[in-house]
């Protein structure tokens, strides 16, 4: 499944790199302090955020998962149904970056 670069930029996210798959792109967005929710993910071409969240958990990544009502980028309206909202706290970002630098050395 392809990630839509133009829509990523429109939402304020970085351009996906050639080596990004959906899982690594989601991780890169939240590791830079971004918040990604189910509606945004669908807008940029990621239709299974819940299963990506599950894979990230299994790999031991620490992040914050909330549920809430958010605007839909397609319509601009806030539907009544809550969705997954994924982010990393400052501490989680630090731990992630420290782990990555340890793996690279």
């Amino acid at each position: 499944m392809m990630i839509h670069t133009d829509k990523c930029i429109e939402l304020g996210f970085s351009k996906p790199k050639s080596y990004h798959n959906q899982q690594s792109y989601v991780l890169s967005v939240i590791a830079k302090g971004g918040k990604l929710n189910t509606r945004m993910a669908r807008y940029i071409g990621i239709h299974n955020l819940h299963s990506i969240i599950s894979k990230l958990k299994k790999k031991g990544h620490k992040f914050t998962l909330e549920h809430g009502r958010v605007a839909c980028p397609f319509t601009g309206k806030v539907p009544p149904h809550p969705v997954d909202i994924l982010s990393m706290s400052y501490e989680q970002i630090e731990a992630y970056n420290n782990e990555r630098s340890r793996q690279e050395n």
Side-chain angles (χ1 to χ4, degrees), residues 28-43:
S28 78
V29 166
I30 64 173
K32 291 177 185 163
K35 274 192 175 196
L36 185 66
N37 65 59
T38 302
R39 298 189 199 291
M40 294 168 126
R42 286 189 184 136
Y43 189 67

Side-chain angles (χ1 to χ4, degrees), residues 16-104:
K17 306 283 189 233
S18 59
Y19 55 83
H20 276 140
N21 59 31
Q22 291 184 353
Q23 187 176 318
S24 64
Y25 184 70
V26 166
L27 197 53
S28 78
V29 166
I30 64 173
K32 291 177 185 163
K35 274 192 175 196
L36 185 66
N37 65 59
T38 302
R39 298 189 199 291
M40 294 168 126
R42 286 189 184 136
Y43 189 67
I44 64 173
I46 299 172
H47 297 278
N48 57 345
L49 184 62
H50 59 281
S51 59
I52 291 173
I53 290 168
S54 184
K55 288 175 186 172
L56 293 175
K57 273 185 192 170
K58 283 181 185 162
K59 287 187 172 184
H61 293 292
K62 303 289 184 219
F63 51 83
T64 302
L65 178 61
E66 303 168 280
H67 300 282
R69 294 178 59 203
V70 297
C72 173
F74 289 106
T75 65
K77 295 186 167 98
V78 179
H81 313 292
V83 297
D84 291 340
I85 304 168
L86 191 62
S87 64
M88 279 186 174
S89 67
Y90 177 78
E91 292 81 10
Q92 289 167 329
I93 292 170
E94 287 288 301
Y96 172 74
N97 288 333
N98 289 337
E99 181 62 31
R100 278 187 57 204
S101 64
R102 270 199 301 276
Q103 289 175 357
E104 290 170 4

